[in-house]
Amino acid sequence: MDFKLGEKEEALRKGIREFAQKELPSECFCLLLEEESRDEDWKLAMSISKKLAQKGWLVMAWPKEYGGQGASYWEQMVYGEECGYWGIPGVAMGVSGVAWVGPSLMQFGNEEQRKKYLPLIASGEADGVWCTAYSEPNAGSDFANIQTRAVRDGDEYVINGQKVWTSCAHRARWCWLAVKTDPGAPKKHRGISIFMVDMKSPGITVNPLLNYHDAHIFNEVFFDNVRVPASNLVGEENKGWYHLMQSLASERHSLGPPLYGNARRLLDELAGYAKEIQHDGKPLSQNLGVRHMLADAVVEAEMLKLFNYQVTWELTQGLIPIYGSSRNKAFGDQLLERIGIIGMRIMGAYCQVDPYSKWTKLHGIIQRVYLLSPGISIAAGTDEIEKNVIGQFKLGLPKSY
Amino acid sequence: MDFKLSEDQEMLRSLARDFLTKECPKAKVRELENDEKGYDPRMWQKMAELGWLGLVFPENYGGTGGTFLDLVLLMEEIGKNILPGPFFSTTVCALPILEYGNEWQKAKFLPQVANGTAIWALAVIETLGGYKASEIKASARVGDGHYIIEGTKLFVPNANVANHLLVAARTSEDAEGVAMFIVDANSAGVEVEVIPTIAQDKQCQVTFNRVEVPEGNVLGDVGGGWDIVEFILDRAAILKCAEVSGGCQAVVEMTNAYAKDRVQFDKPIGSFQAIQHRLVDMFVNAEGLQYLVYQAAWEISTGFPSRLHTSLVKAKAGEVYQRTCLDAIKIHGATGFTKEHDVGLYFRRVKASEFAMGDSDLWEERVAAELGL
């Protein structure tokens, strides 16, 4: 047993820290999905993406031939932690491309597809931005229930249907789309396929869906006789479900380290704030309740860190983390929510101020976390679905739904 | 970074598992709860023969030269199975003797621990029940070639069977003017009374009525006693948390088995999300606690413990053990509430382990301090 990271990883950590201090505006702290809403945030995010690409960090895990560095799992983990700690925007470019479109294409795409799409993502340019369209009005957690159809017509497929909760569709150049290709399949998850669709194709309509705080993160996307070249089918027709289960595992795994980084940064900021603020002539940091709330959250952050280490270690051993990615995602979501709640309490009356107004404290990060955390815990699989995965595949319990 | 145990560690663990299953079934645990001594001397002797009692001592003191992490793995198995008796109390006294003892003390006391002839008990806390130097009121006055100890210690584990006590007593009025004394438990003036506890685990009140202790029995420096207590606390807390971690794992395992087995509404109750998700939460928290323990233990083994990593384990362990046991009982239904069911044996140990070696508040305060608060 050994709990120390190597020199290479620590050097990378230092490099990212220097990068963040040099390249980011001082008040910048970006949470997952947040950069997609306001134009000025998106502009900054895309400028940082390019710089991350130049550094060789944006897709560091990928092989050199596709624009990566072949970075180790440990380096990827440290990169995730630090990006979360510094709240570096542009890391994910709408999440999909970097986190799972690229890895999926390497797993089950063909060489032509890899050559075309991977360098675009690796460049950090706008043409490498992807959205992912899985959910539909009647297919949320029950994803296999999707109705959007793709029908073969010569060298093309014709797509019709509606997607919803599609993050980043309003920024994306490409869509990673799940559709039904065989609605008559005996089991509904056997008739699903994945396509890559150009968002400029005729017949695509993107309607914004604002969240309860007016943030524009997700959208409805309508497909009306959208024609897609057959060469844009990824992997095998009707095997989409199995491909997606693999890519969902990568997706969830990539979320743990940044959530840990976010958590530690927020706790450091709150600790600093509590030391500055005076109540009855004493710093708030001397209040026992405040001390213990923050201490509890630090302990849970440490658990999340070790969960991330454990999954990363399994990957280095060639093991497939059967339940660990689900555990880390759900645990991280709950932690972020809890920090939001604690943070709002520590901010006192200022917690109700709009995060972008001049009255806000700590650049509004606490309100933003509080407002965003329910969304984060739903995206990429709700916590309940993650718990089903752990119950079934780790504890060996019967299917519960 | 490596989550794998060494082959030797795997072997230690499986030997421990086999030994405890065979020698200390739950019927034995129950028997020892009602036994006056609270441990089985035959089993104790076998533990000595297995090398457990001197696990981390060098060979010249009768030990087997294991690491602190090895000891933690053993405690984890002890917690899983529940082993009543003075293993923990003896170990947490032996560790500071190994670290702070002079050559004469080490040569005299450690081999007796290793071969099973000496049982030890740590006597630090008093009526306020906390680990603070200022709470130490027991006094040690200088006599003629000896010290005279006077005062009362509470919650001294296994003092009823101890040959030696490691006692914190005040040598001066400055807050930290505390020294650690090695006291022969049979000295005139030592009075031991077992406190009835929920865990029936033989914690005692020990009264010192003008007890004479030779000068040579001071451990470390006079006035440096509190540093020794801190040294003990860091290590003993991790050992106690390893025991808790093992207990949590055992409770999750038995509850998971029950949830698969028990049928209601024509289905195993584990197929209901109200049960399944609760079990998942129990499992995940127990697993997290296990890793927190391993990280701290590994760091102590390397000689570079992090104060944050050490402190946060015991800040969390009590809460996890309590939640795990309470949920386990509820999942078992009324069966879990009975005297016959094993889950209650674990639940009755929750508070004993939480208050051994500093409660959650003390350790949360340390975490807060590490956060710069």
Side-chain angles (χ1 to χ4, degrees), chain A residues 275-302:
Chain A
K275 280 196 280 190
E276 255 170 47
I277 297 302
Q278 300 273 321
H279 274 238
D280 291 334
K282 273 198 311 194
L284 186 58
S285 60
Q286 287 183 19
N287 175 301
L288 208 60
V290 168
R291 296 172 74 82
H292 286 192
M293 282 195 297
L294 290 174
D296 281 347
V298 168
V299 179
E300 296 203 346
E302 194 68 17

Side-chain angles (χ1 to χ4, degrees), chain A residues 1-2 4 74 275 291-292 296 300 302 305 309-310 313 323 327 387-388 395-398 400, chain B residues 1-5 256 260 271 273 276-277 281 284 287 291 295 298 309 316 364-365 372-373:
Chain A
M1 206 163 275
D2 183 339
K4 201 167 163 345
W74 293 118
K275 280 196 280 190
R291 296 172 74 82
H292 286 192
D296 281 347
E300 296 203 346
E302 194 68 17
K305 180 194 90 173
Y309 282 12
Q310 189 259 350
W313 176 78
Y323 70 101
R327 171 196 64 198
K387 285 183 186 181
N388 290 341
L395 298 180
L397 289 163
S400 63
Chain B
M1 187 78 54
D2 190 357
F3 273 69
K4 204 160 167 284
L5 297 175
N256 192 29
K260 287 174 189 166
S271 68
Q273 284 187 348
Q276 190 170 124
H277 288 187
D281 289 341
V284 168
E287 191 185 19
Y291 298 153
Q295 174 178 255
W298 178 80
H309 292 166
K316 184 76 181 171
E364 274 183 3
E365 262 309 305
L373 292 170

Side-chain angles (χ1 to χ4, degrees), chain A residues 168-229:
Chain A
C168 211
H170 56 307
R171 305 284 183 193
R173 177 71 171 77
W174 303 97
C175 179
W176 180 255
L177 175 71
V179 294
K180 270 269 154 78
T181 34
D182 180 8
K187 287 206 166 169
K188 60 186 178 183
H189 52 263
R190 286 193 192 152
I192 294 171
S193 301
I194 307 165
F195 284 91
M196 297 181 288
V197 182
D198 186 340
M199 289 295 281
K200 289 181 180 167
S201 310
I204 294 182
T205 310
V206 176
N207 287 339
L209 289 170
L210 299 187
N211 84 354
Y212 44 55
H213 185 57
D214 281 339
H216 180 192
I217 296 170
F218 45 43
N219 305 272
E220 301 180 295
V221 184
F222 292 90
F223 295 84
D224 182 13
N225 287 317
V226 176
R227 304 190 78 86
V228 179

Side-chain angles (χ1 to χ4, degrees), chain B residues 276-320:
Chain B
Q276 190 170 124
H277 288 187
R278 191 178 260 189
L279 255 167
V280 165
D281 289 341
M282 289 160 64
F283 167 74
V284 168
N285 281 311
E287 191 185 19
L289 177 61
Q290 186 182 22
Y291 298 153
L292 291 179
V293 169
Y294 286 169
Q295 174 178 255
W298 178 80
E299 286 175 350
I300 290 173
S301 289
T302 61
F304 298 100
S306 136
R307 195 172 164 89
L308 174 66
H309 292 166
T310 304
S311 304
L312 46 77
V313 194
K314 193 130 196 323
K316 184 76 181 171
E319 178 202 315
V320 173

